[in-house]
Amino acid sequence: MNRRKNDEGVPNDIRHVWGVPQKTDHQSVGQWLRSVVEPQLTAAWPEDSKSPVMIRTLLAGVWEWAAPAPHYGTGIPLREKATFALELCTSLLHFAGQVLQAHPNPVVVASVTP
């Protein structure tokens, strides 16, 4: 199973539902989350300052863990690695679903410079 493929669905939802600009070719996912997603969602939801931070944190964690590098030389048993990865994905999907219900409309931000 390619977890990275599954994890790409949440950024697509963020872009399509909330209207956040797509990551550019020169940006890493982490840069895009920090410089575009979090600031735009924070500006759009001033009453909910924690959700944009959690979206960034959970998505960045899942994205990094889904990369091949964390699986080598960690000393963590394979079963524990798989359990951790699935728990991260589950937490991200659960939280993102709750935030989508709380904020179903596209964000309207006058201007956020990355």
Side-chain angles (χ1 to χ4, degrees):
M1 175 170 111
N2 184 341
R3 284 185 305 275
R4 274 240 168 141
K5 275 288 196 202
N6 295 332
D7 303 335
E8 290 172 4
V10 174
N12 285 333
D13 288 345
I14 288 170
R15 286 188 359 259
H16 294 295
V17 173
W18 291 319
V20 173
Q22 184 170 350
K23 181 182 91 55
T24 63
D25 289 339
H26 70 276
Q27 287 177 308
S28 69
V29 170
Q31 290 169 330
W32 177 68
L33 290 168
R34 259 187 323 279
S35 65
V36 178
V37 174
E38 184 179 351
Q40 287 207 358
L41 297 182
T42 298
W45 307 332
E47 75 290 352
D48 184 5
S49 63
K50 299 296 183 192
S51 290
V53 175
M54 288 305 298
I55 290 283
R56 175 188 51 82
T57 302
L58 285 168
L59 187 53
V62 168
W63 189 260
E64 289 300 321
W65 186 257
H71 302 282
Y72 302 106
T74 61
I76 301 171
L78 181 58
R79 179 183 176 101
E80 297 303 318
K81 290 178 194 178
T83 300
F84 180 67
L86 288 172
E87 288 173 350
L88 274 174
C89 290
T90 301
S91 294
L92 171 63
L93 293 173
H94 182 252
F95 186 74
Q98 294 299 313
V99 175
L100 282 168
Q101 285 182 342
H103 303 286
N105 299 319
V107 298
V108 178
V109 179
S111 175
V112 174
T113 50

